[in-house]
Amino acid sequence: MPNSDENTKPIDVRKVLESKMGGKVRFVPKCVLNWLRKILHEDEINEYLESVKDIKGAKWLDATRKYLDMRITIEGGENFPPAENGPYTFVCNHPLGGPDGIGIGAVLAEHYGEKLKYLVNDFLLFLPGLKPLCIPINKTGGQSRNLPQLVKEGFESDNNIFMFPAGLCSRRHGGVIHDLAWKKTFIVRSVAAKRDIVPMHFSGRNSDRFYRIARLCEIFRSPVNFAMLFLADETYLNRHKDFVLKVGKPIPWQTFDKSKTAAEWAAYVESICYSL
């Protein structure tokens, strides 16, 4: 977790590795640490985080969207449901692995203010300005024993929930870039909390290098998601670009009845997202 000491860097590659590896981090060669610092843009990110250290939550999202120079065109904006009738569950494809979450979050914050929570990879907790909006999901190690309860409490709160049901960002198979299968959690929890679901689709893609690395990890069944290491670099490659966020009509929670399993309903909403 980020250290509150003002002299400590918000993003410290060594401390991130320590949080995952414990004492074994001492066996990581210095040259590898330096390479990681470069590919993770440690210096650039820390410089930016220092400039926004007093900004949190929705304002941080907006500031970061501007820093990334993300120009987002919204199609179907009239489908955003009234805040007073919420809260809602917002779900979307996950093409980029970082900037998409920032950009979509900034758009949602314009409509719903601070009443917003992300279900995010716990690596993002190293971004101090984003932390107040996060419900952490550990994708790199053992799940926290408290995770089911944290998720349950998030859906039962009066906050809107924003999540990428695929968990990991999109992969390329057969020349087609598409999400991994959407998990059923958003269906199960939205129905239990009587939340309508709003499907969205975000444009964009990562580099060919990213998809090649991700594919190699799949082929060799790597226990480490090496592709994830490149997501910071992919974020910088996606600066100064135009994106489109398409918003679908809200789906009433009553739709998700016993005629399909929760997993089948998740696939149904996924298909709506990709049809937008």
Side-chain angles (χ1 to χ4, degrees):
M1 296 298 101
N3 195 311
S4 60
D5 187 336
E6 292 182 358
N7 296 318
T8 301
K9 297 181 293 185
I11 304 297
D12 187 317
V13 168
R14 184 178 180 85
K15 289 188 180 298
V16 172
L17 291 179
E18 283 179 352
S19 74
K20 300 297 176 184
M21 301 173 63
K24 294 179 181 178
V25 71
R26 67 182 184 276
F27 298 115
V28 179
K30 186 176 180 180
C31 62
V32 173
L33 281 175
N34 289 336
W35 176 79
L36 285 171
R37 289 186 173 110
K38 180 179 179 180
I39 203 68
L40 291 171
H41 293 258
E42 182 180 280
D43 290 341
E44 290 169 274
I45 293 176
N46 281 324
E47 181 179 355
Y48 170 68
L49 293 179
E50 174 64 22
S51 72
V52 294
K53 64 181 180 181
D54 297 323
I55 302 176
K56 308 289 183 185
K59 291 182 179 179
W60 187 90
L61 288 172
D62 187 57
T64 305
R65 175 177 60 173
K66 291 175 181 175
Y67 169 71
L68 296 175
D69 189 24
M70 299 181 70
R71 300 178 292 269
I72 303 174
T73 298
I74 301 173
E75 296 182 5
E78 68 278 4
N79 290 325
F80 279 125
E84 60 270 20
N85 293 342
Y88 308 98
T89 301
F90 294 88
V91 293
C92 191
N93 64 313
H94 197 11
L96 304 181
D100 42 3
I102 297 297
I104 298 168
V107 170
L108 291 176
E110 289 177 355
H111 288 80
Y112 304 100
E114 298 286 343
K115 291 292 185 180
L116 177 66
K117 289 289 184 182
Y118 285 74
L119 266 67
V120 302
N121 185 291
D122 65 350
F123 267 130
L124 294 181
L125 296 184
F126 287 90
L127 299 173
L130 185 61
K131 188 176 179 179
L133 302 177
C134 291
I135 299 173
I137 297 177
N138 187 350
K139 292 291 178 184
T140 57
Q143 291 281 13
S144 166
R145 292 180 180 179
N146 293 327
L147 176 60
Q149 183 62 27
L150 288 173
V151 173
K152 181 175 182 290
E153 290 174 358
F155 275 87
E156 291 177 350
S157 74
D158 60 353
N159 292 302
N160 296 289
I161 297 292
F162 168 44
M163 64 184 296
F164 297 113
L168 301 175
C169 65
S170 303
R171 300 297 195 256
R172 182 171 63 190
H173 292 100
V176 177
I177 298 171
H178 197 284
D179 271 5
L180 302 176
W182 283 19
K183 308 296 190 301
K184 66 182 181 181
T185 299
F186 76 101
I187 295 290
V188 174
R189 290 301 180 191
S190 295
V191 170
K194 299 182 179 180
R195 288 172 173 261
D196 293 347
I197 295 175
V198 184
M200 302 180 294
H201 183 275
F202 196 79
S203 65
R205 54 160 291 170
N206 284 321
S207 69
D208 289 336
R209 175 196 63 184
F210 174 84
Y211 298 119
R212 285 195 296 267
I213 294 170
R215 183 57 180 155
L216 287 172
C217 287
E218 293 175 356
I219 291 173
F220 292 104
R221 298 181 180 179
S222 171
V224 179
N225 182 8
F226 288 105
M228 191 177 196
L229 296 175
F230 291 84
L231 288 179
D233 198 45
E234 294 293 328
T235 294
Y236 278 87
L237 291 175
N238 273 299
R239 289 186 76 185
H240 316 300
K241 291 188 177 181
D242 297 307
F243 300 95
V244 177
L245 174 64
K246 297 180 179 180
V247 184
K249 295 182 178 180
I251 306 172
W253 64 269
Q254 297 94 332
T255 302
F256 308 108
D257 58 22
K258 300 297 184 181
S259 65
K260 300 180 190 293
T261 65
E264 289 171 335
W265 279 122
Y268 168 78
V269 178
E270 178 187 354
S271 68
I272 291 177
C273 161
Y274 276 94
S275 70
L276 292 174

